[in-house]
mmCIF file of all heavy atoms in Angstrom:
data_model
loop_
_atom_site.group_PDB
_atom_site.id
_atom_site.type_symbol
_atom_site.label_atom_id
_atom_site.label_comp_id
_atom_site.label_asym_id
_atom_site.label_seq_id
_atom_site.Cartn_x
_atom_site.Cartn_y
_atom_site.Cartn_z
ATOM 1 N N GLN I 33 -2.666 0.663 -19.175
ATOM 2 C CA GLN I 33 -1.451 0.072 -19.375
ATOM 3 C C GLN I 33 -0.183 1.068 -19.376
ATOM 4 O O GLN I 33 -0.442 2.142 -19.876
ATOM 5 C CB GLN I 33 -1.365 -0.833 -20.602
ATOM 6 C CG GLN I 33 -2.419 -1.975 -20.530
ATOM 7 C CD GLN I 33 -2.021 -2.926 -19.491
ATOM 8 O OE1 GLN I 33 -0.922 -3.166 -19.280
ATOM 9 N NE2 GLN I 33 -3.101 -3.510 -18.871
ATOM 10 N N ASN I 34 0.893 0.711 -19.015
ATOM 11 C CA ASN I 34 2.068 1.611 -19.051
ATOM 12 C C ASN I 34 2.924 1.336 -20.195
ATOM 13 O O ASN I 34 3.831 0.490 -20.258
ATOM 14 C CB ASN I 34 3.018 1.412 -17.772
ATOM 15 C CG ASN I 34 3.872 2.594 -17.497
ATOM 16 O OD1 ASN I 34 3.806 3.569 -18.150
ATOM 17 N ND2 ASN I 34 4.817 2.333 -16.651
ATOM 18 N N ASN I 35 2.771 1.974 -21.395
ATOM 19 C CA ASN I 35 3.441 1.903 -22.499
ATOM 20 C C ASN I 35 4.144 3.173 -22.877
ATOM 21 O O ASN I 35 3.635 4.281 -22.614
ATOM 22 C CB ASN I 35 2.532 1.557 -23.712
ATOM 23 C CG ASN I 35 1.878 0.193 -23.697
ATOM 24 O OD1 ASN I 35 2.453 -0.806 -23.091
ATOM 25 N ND2 ASN I 35 0.569 0.199 -24.241
ATOM 26 N N PRO I 36 5.222 3.038 -23.527
ATOM 27 C CA PRO I 36 6.076 4.318 -23.856
ATOM 28 C C PRO I 36 5.313 5.201 -24.935
ATOM 29 O O PRO I 36 5.373 6.333 -24.922
ATOM 30 C CB PRO I 36 7.367 3.814 -24.491
ATOM 31 C CG PRO I 36 7.390 2.321 -24.205
ATOM 32 C CD PRO I 36 6.084 1.970 -23.788
ATOM 33 N N ASP I 37 4.496 4.539 -25.832
ATOM 34 C CA ASP I 37 3.763 5.271 -26.834
ATOM 35 C C ASP I 37 2.335 5.720 -26.380
ATOM 36 O O ASP I 37 1.419 5.909 -27.150
ATOM 37 C CB ASP I 37 3.703 4.480 -28.168
ATOM 38 C CG ASP I 37 3.130 3.132 -27.958
ATOM 39 O OD1 ASP I 37 2.937 2.669 -26.704
ATOM 40 O OD2 ASP I 37 2.757 2.490 -28.973
ATOM 41 N N LEU I 38 2.177 5.676 -24.996
ATOM 42 C CA LEU I 38 0.817 6.074 -24.491
ATOM 43 C C LEU I 38 0.353 7.494 -24.720
ATOM 44 O O LEU I 38 1.320 8.404 -24.676
ATOM 45 C CB LEU I 38 0.816 5.644 -22.972
ATOM 46 C CG LEU I 38 -0.504 5.640 -22.302
ATOM 47 C CD1 LEU I 38 -1.380 4.618 -22.812
ATOM 48 C CD2 LEU I 38 -0.298 5.498 -20.707
ATOM 49 N N ASP I 39 -0.758 7.719 -25.039
ATOM 50 C CA ASP I 39 -1.219 9.078 -25.212
ATOM 51 C C ASP I 39 -1.130 9.845 -23.925
ATOM 52 O O ASP I 39 -1.195 9.452 -22.856
ATOM 53 C CB ASP I 39 -2.878 9.069 -25.606
ATOM 54 C CG ASP I 39 -3.339 10.352 -25.949
ATOM 55 O OD1 ASP I 39 -2.542 11.256 -26.513
ATOM 56 O OD2 ASP I 39 -4.494 10.674 -25.750
ATOM 57 N N GLN I 40 -0.707 11.146 -24.133
ATOM 58 C CA GLN I 40 -0.451 12.052 -23.119
ATOM 59 C C GLN I 40 -1.660 12.257 -22.149
ATOM 60 O O GLN I 40 -1.451 12.235 -20.849
ATOM 61 C CB GLN I 40 -0.067 13.506 -23.585
ATOM 62 C CG GLN I 40 0.459 14.454 -22.480
ATOM 63 C CD GLN I 40 1.725 13.960 -21.768
ATOM 64 O OE1 GLN I 40 2.588 13.204 -22.430
ATOM 65 N NE2 GLN I 40 1.938 14.363 -20.638
ATOM 66 N N LEU I 41 -2.812 12.200 -22.596
ATOM 67 C CA LEU I 41 -4.016 12.286 -21.795
ATOM 68 C C LEU I 41 -4.222 11.147 -20.893
ATOM 69 O O LEU I 41 -4.501 11.335 -19.723
ATOM 70 C CB LEU I 41 -5.294 12.586 -22.556
ATOM 71 C CG LEU I 41 -6.627 12.757 -21.931
ATOM 72 C CD1 LEU I 41 -6.623 13.993 -20.948
ATOM 73 C CD2 LEU I 41 -7.724 12.751 -22.830
ATOM 74 N N LEU I 42 -3.954 9.931 -21.450
ATOM 75 C CA LEU I 42 -4.131 8.634 -20.732
ATOM 76 C C LEU I 42 -2.983 8.664 -19.617
ATOM 77 O O LEU I 42 -3.243 8.124 -18.489
ATOM 78 C CB LEU I 42 -4.047 7.428 -21.645
ATOM 79 C CG LEU I 42 -5.325 7.234 -22.399
ATOM 80 C CD1 LEU I 42 -5.157 6.098 -23.291
ATOM 81 C CD2 LEU I 42 -6.519 7.045 -21.494
ATOM 82 N N ARG I 43 -1.833 9.145 -19.988
ATOM 83 C CA ARG I 43 -0.631 9.167 -18.938
ATOM 84 C C ARG I 43 -1.092 9.978 -17.881
ATOM 85 O O ARG I 43 -0.774 9.834 -16.639
ATOM 86 C CB ARG I 43 0.541 9.539 -19.654
ATOM 87 C CG ARG I 43 1.790 9.484 -18.853
ATOM 88 C CD ARG I 43 2.946 9.765 -19.672
ATOM 89 N NE ARG I 43 2.982 8.866 -20.735
ATOM 90 C CZ ARG I 43 3.962 8.405 -21.338
ATOM 91 N NH1 ARG I 43 5.236 8.796 -20.823
ATOM 92 N NH2 ARG I 43 3.914 7.599 -22.269
ATOM 93 N N GLN I 44 -1.729 11.314 -18.082
ATOM 94 C CA GLN I 44 -2.107 12.128 -17.163
ATOM 95 C C GLN I 44 -3.129 11.593 -16.159
ATOM 96 O O GLN I 44 -3.294 11.650 -15.005
ATOM 97 C CB GLN I 44 -2.527 13.537 -17.646
ATOM 98 C CG GLN I 44 -1.343 14.372 -18.239
ATOM 99 C CD GLN I 44 -1.778 15.626 -18.816
ATOM 100 O OE1 GLN I 44 -3.033 15.864 -19.034
ATOM 101 N NE2 GLN I 44 -0.826 16.463 -19.188
ATOM 102 N N VAL I 45 -4.121 10.868 -16.790
ATOM 103 C CA VAL I 45 -5.197 10.105 -15.965
ATOM 104 C C VAL I 45 -4.680 9.114 -15.017
ATOM 105 O O VAL I 45 -5.022 8.939 -13.969
ATOM 106 C CB VAL I 45 -6.279 9.592 -16.888
ATOM 107 C CG1 VAL I 45 -7.185 8.712 -16.203
ATOM 108 C CG2 VAL I 45 -6.995 10.590 -17.741
ATOM 109 N N LYS I 46 -3.557 8.412 -15.550
ATOM 110 C CA LYS I 46 -2.948 7.413 -14.740
ATOM 111 C C LYS I 46 -2.268 8.085 -13.614
ATOM 112 O O LYS I 46 -2.374 7.549 -12.509
ATOM 113 C CB LYS I 46 -1.978 6.578 -15.535
ATOM 114 C CG LYS I 46 -1.343 5.463 -14.735
ATOM 115 C CD LYS I 46 -0.462 4.566 -15.621
ATOM 116 C CE LYS I 46 0.193 3.496 -14.739
ATOM 117 N NZ LYS I 46 0.160 2.203 -15.354
ATOM 118 N N HIS I 47 -1.510 9.110 -13.868
ATOM 119 C CA HIS I 47 -0.901 9.828 -12.730
ATOM 120 C C HIS I 47 -1.879 10.426 -11.791
ATOM 121 O O HIS I 47 -1.580 10.659 -10.535
ATOM 122 C CB HIS I 47 0.111 10.755 -13.338
ATOM 123 C CG HIS I 47 1.305 10.303 -14.045
ATOM 124 N ND1 HIS I 47 2.074 9.208 -13.480
ATOM 125 C CD2 HIS I 47 1.915 10.526 -15.155
ATOM 126 C CE1 HIS I 47 2.935 8.956 -14.297
ATOM 127 N NE2 HIS I 47 2.977 9.633 -15.315
ATOM 128 N N GLY I 48 -2.904 10.889 -12.257
ATOM 129 C CA GLY I 48 -4.010 11.456 -11.477
ATOM 130 C C GLY I 48 -4.546 10.344 -10.592
ATOM 131 O O GLY I 48 -4.980 10.647 -9.459
ATOM 132 N N GLY I 49 -4.692 9.122 -11.051
ATOM 133 C CA GLY I 49 -5.105 8.073 -10.255
ATOM 134 C C GLY I 49 -4.225 7.866 -9.041
ATOM 135 O O GLY I 49 -4.655 7.537 -7.955
ATOM 136 N N THR I 50 -2.934 8.055 -9.313
ATOM 137 C CA THR I 50 -1.954 7.875 -8.242
ATOM 138 C C THR I 50 -2.196 8.886 -7.090
ATOM 139 O O THR I 50 -2.250 8.709 -5.997
ATOM 140 C CB THR I 50 -0.464 7.965 -8.794
ATOM 141 O OG1 THR I 50 -0.347 6.946 -9.782
ATOM 142 C CG2 THR I 50 0.577 7.767 -7.642
ATOM 143 N N PHE I 51 -2.357 10.055 -7.635
ATOM 144 C CA PHE I 51 -2.625 11.376 -6.780
ATOM 145 C C PHE I 51 -3.959 11.130 -5.962
ATOM 146 O O PHE I 51 -3.880 11.382 -4.707
ATOM 147 C CB PHE I 51 -2.608 12.604 -7.526
ATOM 148 C CG PHE I 51 -2.814 13.896 -6.746
ATOM 149 C CD1 PHE I 51 -1.724 14.200 -5.969
ATOM 150 C CD2 PHE I 51 -3.862 14.562 -6.813
ATOM 151 C CE1 PHE I 51 -1.866 15.376 -5.229
ATOM 152 C CE2 PHE I 51 -4.028 15.804 -6.068
ATOM 153 C CZ PHE I 51 -3.056 16.098 -5.272
ATOM 154 N N VAL I 52 -4.943 10.676 -6.591
ATOM 155 C CA VAL I 52 -6.268 10.598 -5.825
ATOM 156 C C VAL I 52 -6.086 9.406 -4.885
ATOM 157 O O VAL I 52 -6.666 9.570 -3.728
ATOM 158 C CB VAL I 52 -7.337 10.217 -6.893
ATOM 159 C CG1 VAL I 52 -8.604 9.756 -6.353
ATOM 160 C CG2 VAL I 52 -7.655 11.444 -7.732
ATOM 161 N N GLY I 53 -5.391 8.312 -5.198
ATOM 162 C CA GLY I 53 -5.296 7.291 -4.272
ATOM 163 C C GLY I 53 -4.427 7.560 -3.034
ATOM 164 O O GLY I 53 -4.844 7.317 -1.873
ATOM 165 N N LEU I 54 -3.369 8.371 -3.212
ATOM 166 C CA LEU I 54 -2.615 8.929 -2.006
ATOM 167 C C LEU I 54 -3.301 9.910 -1.261
ATOM 168 O O LEU I 54 -3.194 9.825 -0.047
ATOM 169 C CB LEU I 54 -1.251 9.506 -2.604
ATOM 170 C CG LEU I 54 -0.231 8.449 -3.174
ATOM 171 C CD1 LEU I 54 0.982 9.141 -3.684
ATOM 172 C CD2 LEU I 54 0.161 7.453 -2.129
ATOM 173 N N MET I 55 -4.201 10.746 -1.859
ATOM 174 C CA MET I 55 -4.895 11.590 -1.130
ATOM 175 C C MET I 55 -5.947 10.948 -0.287
ATOM 176 O O MET I 55 -6.380 11.290 0.771
ATOM 177 C CB MET I 55 -5.488 12.691 -2.083
ATOM 178 C CG MET I 55 -4.739 13.888 -2.425
ATOM 179 S SD MET I 55 -5.579 15.171 -3.204
ATOM 180 C CE MET I 55 -7.175 14.774 -3.505
ATOM 181 N N GLY I 56 -6.502 9.778 -0.908
ATOM 182 C CA GLY I 56 -7.429 8.912 -0.256
ATOM 183 C C GLY I 56 -6.941 8.357 1.049
ATOM 184 O O GLY I 56 -7.550 8.203 2.058
ATOM 185 N N ILE I 57 -5.788 8.005 1.029
ATOM 186 C CA ILE I 57 -5.103 7.364 2.182
ATOM 187 C C ILE I 57 -5.071 8.394 3.323
ATOM 188 O O ILE I 57 -5.277 8.180 4.427
ATOM 189 C CB ILE I 57 -3.705 6.852 1.913
ATOM 190 C CG1 ILE I 57 -3.844 5.609 0.915
ATOM 191 C CG2 ILE I 57 -2.880 6.472 3.065
ATOM 192 C CD1 ILE I 57 -2.338 5.192 0.374
ATOM 193 N N GLY I 58 -4.737 9.620 2.867
ATOM 194 C CA GLY I 58 -4.667 10.749 3.810
ATOM 195 C C GLY I 58 -5.963 11.096 4.438
ATOM 196 O O GLY I 58 -6.061 11.265 5.682
ATOM 197 N N VAL I 59 -6.887 11.093 3.498
ATOM 198 C CA VAL I 59 -8.361 11.508 4.140
ATOM 199 C C VAL I 59 -8.873 10.292 5.010
ATOM 200 O O VAL I 59 -9.515 10.645 6.088
ATOM 201 C CB VAL I 59 -9.357 11.646 2.879
ATOM 202 C CG1 VAL I 59 -10.785 11.683 3.277
ATOM 203 C CG2 VAL I 59 -8.874 12.877 2.170
ATOM 204 N N THR I 60 -8.516 9.095 4.655
ATOM 205 C CA THR I 60 -9.005 8.002 5.467
ATOM 206 C C THR I 60 -8.305 8.024 6.977
ATOM 207 O O THR I 60 -8.985 7.830 7.963
ATOM 208 C CB THR I 60 -8.660 6.657 4.894
ATOM 209 O OG1 THR I 60 -9.297 6.646 3.582
ATOM 210 C CG2 THR I 60 -9.183 5.508 5.795
ATOM 211 N N VAL I 61 -6.997 8.308 6.875
ATOM 212 C CA VAL I 61 -6.266 8.422 8.124
ATOM 213 C C VAL I 61 -6.812 9.522 8.982
ATOM 214 O O VAL I 61 -6.967 9.425 10.311
ATOM 215 C CB VAL I 61 -4.747 8.519 7.954
ATOM 216 C CG1 VAL I 61 -3.980 8.925 9.243
ATOM 217 C CG2 VAL I 61 -4.132 7.234 7.412
ATOM 218 N N ALA I 62 -7.097 10.768 8.357
ATOM 219 C CA ALA I 62 -7.688 11.800 9.092
ATOM 220 C C ALA I 62 -9.080 11.534 9.741
ATOM 221 O O ALA I 62 -9.412 11.913 10.762
ATOM 222 C CB ALA I 62 -7.873 13.064 8.131
ATOM 223 N N GLY I 63 -9.926 10.811 8.968
ATOM 224 C CA GLY I 63 -11.168 10.350 9.552
ATOM 225 C C GLY I 63 -11.107 9.371 10.723
ATOM 226 O O GLY I 63 -11.731 9.540 11.734
ATOM 227 N N ILE I 64 -10.061 8.596 10.636
ATOM 228 C CA ILE I 64 -9.821 7.581 11.757
ATOM 229 C C ILE I 64 -9.407 8.372 12.918
ATOM 230 O O ILE I 64 -9.791 8.113 14.120
ATOM 231 C CB ILE I 64 -8.819 6.553 11.296
ATOM 232 C CG1 ILE I 64 -9.607 5.592 10.378
ATOM 233 C CG2 ILE I 64 -8.352 5.691 12.579
ATOM 234 C CD1 ILE I 64 -8.579 4.637 9.630
ATOM 235 N N LEU I 65 -8.502 9.231 12.761
ATOM 236 C CA LEU I 65 -7.975 10.119 13.928
ATOM 237 C C LEU I 65 -8.998 10.891 14.522
ATOM 238 O O LEU I 65 -9.056 11.084 15.712
ATOM 239 C CB LEU I 65 -6.731 11.076 13.375
ATOM 240 C CG LEU I 65 -5.558 10.242 13.033
ATOM 241 C CD1 LEU I 65 -4.409 11.166 12.413
ATOM 242 C CD2 LEU I 65 -4.935 9.474 14.331
ATOM 243 N N LEU I 66 -9.843 11.470 13.750
ATOM 244 C CA LEU I 66 -11.018 12.314 14.214
ATOM 245 C C LEU I 66 -11.918 11.372 15.125
ATOM 246 O O LEU I 66 -12.401 11.814 16.125
ATOM 247 C CB LEU I 66 -11.843 12.961 13.096
ATOM 248 C CG LEU I 66 -11.213 14.209 12.471
ATOM 249 C CD1 LEU I 66 -12.127 14.537 11.258
ATOM 250 C CD2 LEU I 66 -11.268 15.269 13.466
ATOM 251 N N ARG I 67 -12.144 10.172 14.688
ATOM 252 C CA ARG I 67 -13.031 9.228 15.358
ATOM 253 C C ARG I 67 -12.394 8.962 16.752
ATOM 254 O O ARG I 67 -13.009 8.868 17.798
ATOM 255 C CB ARG I 67 -13.335 7.974 14.540
ATOM 256 C CG ARG I 67 -14.167 6.957 15.377
ATOM 257 C CD ARG I 67 -14.660 5.962 14.451
ATOM 258 N NE ARG I 67 -15.705 6.424 13.769
ATOM 259 C CZ ARG I 67 -16.616 5.788 13.002
ATOM 260 N NH1 ARG I 67 -16.409 4.515 12.961
ATOM 261 N NH2 ARG I 67 -17.561 6.342 12.383
ATOM 262 N N LEU I 68 -11.013 8.662 16.704
ATOM 263 C CA LEU I 68 -10.380 8.296 17.884
ATOM 264 C C LEU I 68 -10.288 9.514 18.875
ATOM 265 O O LEU I 68 -10.369 9.284 20.120
ATOM 266 C CB LEU I 68 -8.972 7.761 17.634
ATOM 267 C CG LEU I 68 -8.826 6.387 16.810
ATOM 268 C CD1 LEU I 68 -7.387 6.084 16.540
ATOM 269 C CD2 LEU I 68 -9.441 5.350 17.683
#
Side-chain angles (χ1 to χ4, degrees):
Q33 298 295 326
N34 195 12
N35 292 331
D37 57 344
L38 191 63
D39 187 29
Q40 185 66 23
L41 178 64
L42 287 176
R43 189 174 301 213
Q44 289 177 351
V45 169
K46 182 172 180 140
H47 293 310
T50 304
F51 183 70
V52 169
L54 290 174
M55 277 190 355
I57 293 171
V59 170
T60 304
V61 169
I64 291 170
L65 289 175
L66 281 173
R67 176 167 285 189
L68 290 175

